[in-house]
Amino acid sequence: MNSTIRLVGISGSLRKKSYNTILLNAVKELLPAEVTLELLSIDGLPLYNGDFDIPDVTQRPAAVVDFRNGLEHADGLIIVSPEYNYSIPGGLKNAIDWASRGTDSPIIQKPVALMGVTPGLWGTVRMQLAFQPVFQALGMQQTKPEILVSQAKAKFDTEGKLTDEDTRKLIIKQLLSLKEQIIKMRS
Amino acid sequence: MNSTIRLVGISGSLRKKSYNTILLNAVKELLPAEVTLELLSIDGLPLYNGDFDIPDVTQRPAAVVDFRNGLEHADGLIIVSPEYNYSIPGGLKNAIDWASRGTDSPIIQKPVALMGVTPGLWGTVRMQLAFQPVFQALGMQQTKPEILVSQAKAKFDTEGKLTDEDTRKLIIKQLLSLKEQIIKMRS
């Protein structure tokens, strides 16, 4: 039996210099032992259309099949996202919608760690609040503590390394909690 | 001065036989006097990417420019949408995100009527709840009463005509309220 824990990480932003994508990359060096992280892009997904999903799953677009395949073997998810209009970015929610349907959904019941970064204050608190009903709908248990990173500029160096010690500690705590939850679910 | 009130209607579903799109079309025969309704599709919009939006608005994709142009002369919006995973469909939120940014946003501060249809019970109540912070972010005042249409099959005939008398009355009330709000804002 393979004891390695596989996480899949998704950024909610498509911007090249997105602080959220930078944070997702920075998480790689904070992973607990025997935990791997693979990044999966939401870019290239079409807009959700039920006619090409359920009930005829053979109609799913190739990009959707690839995206769902990328999630299939994940033990848990890391989602790092900005807040758009006090809520979840539409593109990210669109990816969740594509992954959510069918008895073969690759995200239902999986544990998830949620993070967000903002240049200013508040650290995506309203985006994270908007995720609560979505996680509830999908039976996805969210790991504590929540990670809200405000005033991003002061927290990273010019290479995108997360230099803020408090934030690093919180993320390590969140990832350990995610790992423990996954181990508990396995046994 | 043109006294006609122009509404733009958006369906949150891309499915061909979507009850929400059927309802949006059925609304056409319930419009108050001197109110027009034009439908605008969210299909064909790319996923939101800040690199192609703000601050360099000349980078906006053609489909986004068209979509924003379609909203520009609207006095108010009608949004009719399903509920996906206890929240707003990602594709619809994506359209809102594209329309929301910049000092030239064509939706900010505009009044909006929200409706939703479900085949079963509840009538998209959680989708409508998820819209509250979004409307707040955009200063969009939502018109009462809310329209939640449950058990859709019993409410339309086979031609897609809305036959349920109570629902028709509620929608007429909502549209009149939207009209009044627009007139108030003009004066």
Side-chain angles (χ1 to χ4, degrees):
Chain A
M1 183 185 161
N2 192 343
S3 65
T4 301
I5 286 172
R6 282 165 299 200
L7 303 179
V8 168
I10 293 172
S11 170
S13 174
L14 297 183
R15 281 181 56 231
K16 268 198 192 128
K17 294 180 182 171
S18 155
Y19 271 122
N20 285 284
T21 305
I22 288 170
L23 178 60
L24 180 56
N25 278 290
V27 162
K28 285 178 192 164
E29 59 156 350
L30 304 174
L31 294 171
E34 293 178 71
V35 173
T36 66
L37 173 62
E38 209 170 299
L39 305 196
L40 190 62
S41 174
I42 62 169
D43 205 3
L45 284 172
L47 299 181
Y48 184 85
N49 183 332
D51 286 335
F52 305 113
D53 187 15
I54 301 294
D56 187 356
V57 300
T58 66
Q59 293 303 303
R60 284 187 184 135
V64 172
V65 173
D66 286 349
F67 183 71
R68 291 176 62 115
N69 285 345
L71 288 163
E72 198 181 345
H73 296 292
D75 297 302
L77 268 70
I78 297 177
I79 297 175
V80 187
S81 176
E83 173 181 300
Y84 290 170
N85 298 310
Y86 296 1
S87 186
I88 303 166
L92 175 58
K93 179 59 165 52
N94 183 65
I96 302 282
D97 290 340
W98 273 120
S100 70
R101 304 293 307 282
T103 51
D104 60 338
S105 163
I107 56 171
I108 279 181
Q109 306 288 352
K110 288 188 180 171
V112 58
L114 183 62
M115 313 183 197
V117 193
T118 52
L121 303 172
W122 320 136
T124 75
V125 64
R126 290 166 297 208
M127 176 280 291
Q128 302 208 14
L129 207 56
F131 251 118
Q132 297 313 308
V134 178
F135 290 151
Q136 196 199 344
L138 298 170
M140 296 176 79
Q141 200 178 329
Q142 190 189 340
T143 302
K144 289 209 164 199
E146 296 89 349
I147 305 294
L148 298 96
V149 184
S150 60
Q151 301 178 299
K153 210 175 172 182
K155 309 277 166 79
F156 297 89
D157 70 14
T158 51
E159 309 292 304
K161 187 183 155 77
L162 180 67
T163 48
D164 187 73
E165 211 40 60
D166 288 346
T167 308
R168 291 175 68 91
K169 278 182 197 157
L170 276 175
I171 292 177
I172 287 169
K173 207 170 161 185
Q174 191 196 42
L175 296 173
L176 271 174
S177 164
L178 183 61
K179 180 184 177 180
E180 279 163 21
Q181 202 175 317
I182 290 165
I183 290 170
K184 206 185 292 173
M185 287 175 73
R186 280 185 176 175
S187 63
Chain B
M1 183 183 159
N2 191 344
S3 66
T4 300
I5 287 172
R6 282 165 299 200
L7 303 180
V8 168
I10 292 172
S11 170
S13 174
L14 298 182
R15 281 182 55 231
K16 269 198 190 127
K17 295 181 181 172
S18 155
Y19 271 122
N20 284 284
T21 306
I22 289 170
L23 177 60
L24 179 56
N25 277 291
V27 161
K28 286 178 190 163
E29 60 156 351
L30 305 174
L31 294 172
E34 294 179 72
V35 173
T36 66
L37 172 62
E38 208 170 302
L39 306 196
L40 189 61
S41 174
I42 61 169
D43 205 4
L45 284 172
L47 299 181
Y48 183 85
N49 184 333
D51 287 335
F52 306 114
D53 187 14
I54 302 295
D56 187 356
V57 300
T58 67
Q59 293 303 305
R60 282 185 185 137
V64 172
V65 173
D66 288 349
F67 182 71
R68 292 175 62 114
N69 285 344
L71 288 163
E72 199 181 345
H73 297 292
D75 297 302
L77 269 69
I78 297 176
I79 296 175
V80 188
S81 176
E83 173 181 299
Y84 290 170
N85 297 310
Y86 295 3
S87 187
I88 303 165
L92 174 59
K93 177 61 166 52
N94 183 65
I96 302 282
D97 291 340
W98 274 120
S100 69
R101 303 295 306 280
T103 51
D104 60 337
S105 163
I107 57 171
I108 279 181
Q109 307 288 352
K110 288 189 179 170
V112 57
L114 184 61
M115 313 183 197
V117 194
T118 52
L121 303 172
W122 321 135
T124 76
V125 64
R126 289 165 297 206
M127 177 279 291
Q128 302 209 14
L129 206 57
F131 251 118
Q132 297 313 308
V134 177
F135 289 151
Q136 195 199 344
L138 298 170
M140 296 176 79
Q141 201 176 328
Q142 190 187 341
T143 302
K144 289 208 164 204
E146 296 91 348
I147 305 295
L148 298 96
V149 184
S150 60
Q151 301 178 299
K153 210 174 172 183
K155 309 278 167 77
F156 298 90
D157 70 13
T158 51
E159 310 291 304
K161 187 181 154 80
L162 180 66
T163 50
D164 185 74
E165 210 41 60
D166 288 344
T167 308
R168 291 174 67 90
K169 279 182 197 158
L170 276 175
I171 291 177
I172 287 169
K173 206 170 163 184
Q174 190 197 42
L175 296 173
L176 272 173
S177 166
L178 182 62
K179 179 184 177 179
E180 280 163 21
Q181 202 176 316
I182 290 166
I183 290 170
K184 206 183 293 173
M185 286 175 73
R186 280 184 177 177
S187 65

